[in-house]
Amino acid sequence: MSDTHAHSVAFVRETTIEQQAPPSSAAGPVAWMRENLFATLPNALLTIASAYVIFLLLSSTLPWILNGIWNTDSLAECREALQGQAAACFSVLTERWNQLLFGFQYPSDQYWRPGLAFVLLFFAAAPVLFFDLPRKLLLFTAVYPFIAYWLIWGGSIFIPIFAALGFVAGYVVFDRFGKQNFALGFFGGVATALVVWYASGFITPALTPEETFLEAVQSRDMGGFMLNMMLGVVCVSLSIPLGIALALGRQSSMPLIKGICVVFIEFVRGVPLITLLFVANVVLAYFLPPGTTFDLILRVIIMITMFASAYIAEVIRGGLAALPKGQYEAADSLGLDYPQAMRLIILPQALKISIPGIVNVAVGLFKDTTLVSVISMFDLVGMIRGPILASTDWNGVYWELFSFAAILFFVVCYGISQYSQWLERRLATDHR
């Protein structure tokens, strides 16, 4: 048969044809553009319209950016150098760089202290954000708040030491009595910490030398983007555990606890944040004893934390409600008590469901830190609106300064968003 077939066919290939590259219309950039940009006539029209809008934006902004001036001392010199050409005057950023980051009253020779605290923040947050790292690194995370406080505020080192001792003493009491009675351990721990902190108010002045190792900086001297970072990091860190407690309290079977949590959440959610900031700045002083000085940054941190925790509590309550009733029954069938069931079974699943909502609140909270500028705190926006634009040298430079602020906030918020997406993919064990 093979000989007959060979004589009846003109040509028979005896070797395999080498693999050929697909035609350019079926692979590569051309195919991608055909499938994604010009698949249909409406898609092609939308693509052309979008490209035209992007072209208009870039053609008007890129020359303004690329021809910008970076080395003048005032807006007048900048305009003289431009000679009527439309371009940016970035000299305000190079000339007021330190004020934008640290405020205009923080000692210039001490800039290394908040800078070092910012670098150490990454090492402290890493074990919390990336749980593959050794758990022993959490020890540095635990002591970082006290190190950062001492670096930024300076002064007596005994202030952060006694603050840490208060937490340690409270934890010891909670660990001792919390296993027998959770409420007794919790309130006993809080009372013990308050006693230690109250006693430290008398001991610290006696132990503090006249000249401290780090120069003391007052809270009113904090400013710039450093203030936004401090408020954002501290308030997010505090509002998440407080939001969890409020969410659990709202689902409590104890009417008093449930009522307190419901009233707190509904009241705080119904009040604008700017109102709470005015309360922290003005009204709160009327309820304090005469002569009492309560740090303004601490008051603002309390108000922003309360505001964010109310929203986070509702997000977590949604995660708790999404769990099937069988999860609670499974915890009961294993003989776990309430704290064990929440810690080992319920909260891990509820928090995983609540990640997008929590991140959304965190991003909004970080951006809301700019509202402190309305109560005369010179954060990044406050510095731009106040000392910089009020000066005769740079009055009128708006686009460059606010674009710089927008880029800083975008970088931080985009980083938070990307981390949350990575965390969701990492915890998506039920879809593997």
Side-chain angles (χ1 to χ4, degrees), residues 240-262:
I240 291 178
L242 185 57
I244 294 174
L246 289 171
L248 296 178
R250 185 160 189 168
Q251 288 193 331
S252 174
S253 59
M254 300 177 64
L256 184 59
I257 299 298
K258 182 176 182 179
I260 292 174
C261 294
V262 169

Side-chain angles (χ1 to χ4, degrees), residues 404-426:
F404 175 73
I407 291 173
L408 284 183
F409 277 94
F410 171 77
V411 169
V412 177
C413 294
Y414 184 73
I416 296 173
S417 175
Q418 289 301 305
Y419 169 75
S420 71
Q421 294 180 22
W422 173 83
L423 188 61
E424 288 182 50
R425 291 193 298 270
R426 180 65 189 274

